[in-house]
Amino acid sequence: MKVKFTGAVVVFASTALLATGCAGQDDDKGAAAPAAPATTSAAPAAPTTNGVEALEAQQILDKAKAALKKAGSFHMKGDIVTDGDKMGLDFKTDNGDIKGKLSMGGPSVELLEVGQKRFIKPDEAFWAMTSGGKKQGAAAAELVGDRWVIIKAGDKDMGDMFGFSDIDKMLSADGKVTKGSVKDVDGKPAIGLIDNSEDGGTLWIATTGEPYPLRIEGKDAAEGGLDFTEFGEEFADIVAPAAKDVVDIEKLSGK
């Protein structure tokens, strides 16, 4: 898995690619008759496989992308280490709309996209990191306050921060993709898809139900990972901010 960070830009250039039943017994005994033999009910079958284990690696990846697109919404959360720096990500995406938070040790920034309009809400430490120092950061934080900063349409650098809803980009590999081992991820059986590039890792795909991506992991456990949950859920908190809570930073600073 690899997440590139340049200045204030986070780009998903590539990612690490990618139950048991219970048995019971029923004993029927007549009042005056000898006890009837105990009968054991059949154990429920294990969850039916969705068939992806039998496919080629690229076919599994394609099905995972298609399943995630069909779901329309999901929640992605976790911590990753890239170039020695730890980053926390917590994002919900719903049919192209996004709400979440990116943290980089101390600095953090909230992201919001609704109806193709994009906004950010940095904290003071983030302003300091991106504007030249603590003094400038404090001034920017005071100027903006607790408001969302609107991002200009066509701003590619800032727009790259919102790549979490681009499923094809997010679930793409730099190297050859091969099938790995199987294991349970949060109680769900899954198969690993390995990105064999230098910075690759493993994407775990559900082998029962829809073939959703369940977790992205780096080559090393110390690199952390990202979990995918809440597929197809409605996120009522992804709403556009009120006009009074939005600021154009260029107009505000007189540029």
Side-chain angles (χ1 to χ4, degrees):
M1 175 185 58
K2 181 170 62 180
V3 176
K4 292 182 178 178
F5 174 68
T6 305
V9 180
V10 177
V11 184
F12 272 83
S14 67
T15 64
L17 288 186
L18 312 51
T20 57
C22 57
Q25 288 188 334
D26 290 324
D27 293 334
D28 293 326
K29 298 181 180 180
T39 59
T40 303
S41 60
T48 304
T49 178
N50 55 27
V52 297
E53 288 177 89
L55 301 177
E56 296 296 324
Q58 188 58 51
Q59 292 176 309
I60 299 174
L61 182 57
D62 291 342
K63 282 190 172 290
K65 291 179 181 180
L68 202 54
K69 291 175 183 177
K70 183 179 177 181
S73 62
F74 59 91
H75 186 184
M76 181 178 65
K77 182 178 181 180
D79 295 308
I80 57 175
V81 176
T82 179
D83 297 328
D85 297 318
K86 183 178 180 180
M87 293 193 296
L89 297 93
D90 186 354
F91 285 89
K92 298 175 182 177
T93 178
D94 189 349
N95 293 295
D97 291 344
I98 297 170
K99 184 175 184 180
K101 186 175 183 178
L102 170 68
S103 59
M104 293 145 283
S108 66
V109 57
E110 295 179 63
L111 306 181
L112 177 65
E113 179 175 1
V114 180
Q116 297 185 324
K117 290 186 177 181
R118 293 169 169 174
F119 312 87
I120 63 171
K121 187 187 287 187
D123 65 6
E124 185 173 327
F126 189 94
W127 282 123
M129 182 182 69
T130 58
S131 62
K134 290 184 178 180
K135 183 177 180 180
Q136 294 89 334
E142 183 178 359
L143 185 66
V144 173
D146 189 33
R147 293 180 288 182
W148 290 95
V149 176
I150 191 166
I151 303 302
K152 281 188 174 182
D155 187 330
K156 185 181 183 303
D157 286 342
M158 297 303 290
D160 281 338
M161 296 179 70
F162 293 81
F164 303 101
S165 63
D166 188 337
I167 292 168
D168 287 321
K169 186 176 182 179
M170 185 171 61
L171 299 184
S172 63
D174 278 352
K176 181 179 179 180
V177 182
T178 56
K179 292 163 67 173
S181 60
V182 295
K183 73 172 185 178
D184 279 3
V185 177
D186 194 25
K188 302 178 183 67
I191 185 169
L193 294 183
I194 301 170
D195 174 0
N196 289 280
S197 65
E198 182 180 355
D199 296 315
T202 303
L203 173 66
W204 294 95
I205 306 295
T207 56
T208 60
E210 294 292 334
Y212 291 132
L214 300 178
R215 180 171 172 82
I216 293 173
E217 294 177 342
K219 280 187 173 181
D220 190 291
E223 295 176 3
L226 301 172
D227 294 306
F228 293 81
T229 59
E230 298 181 79
F231 305 103
E233 296 293 326
E234 293 185 10
F235 299 123
D237 56 333
I238 305 181
V239 294
K244 66 180 180 64
D245 296 325
V246 176
V247 62
D248 184 322
I249 192 68
E250 291 187 1
K251 292 180 179 178
L252 194 64
S253 58
K255 292 184 180 180

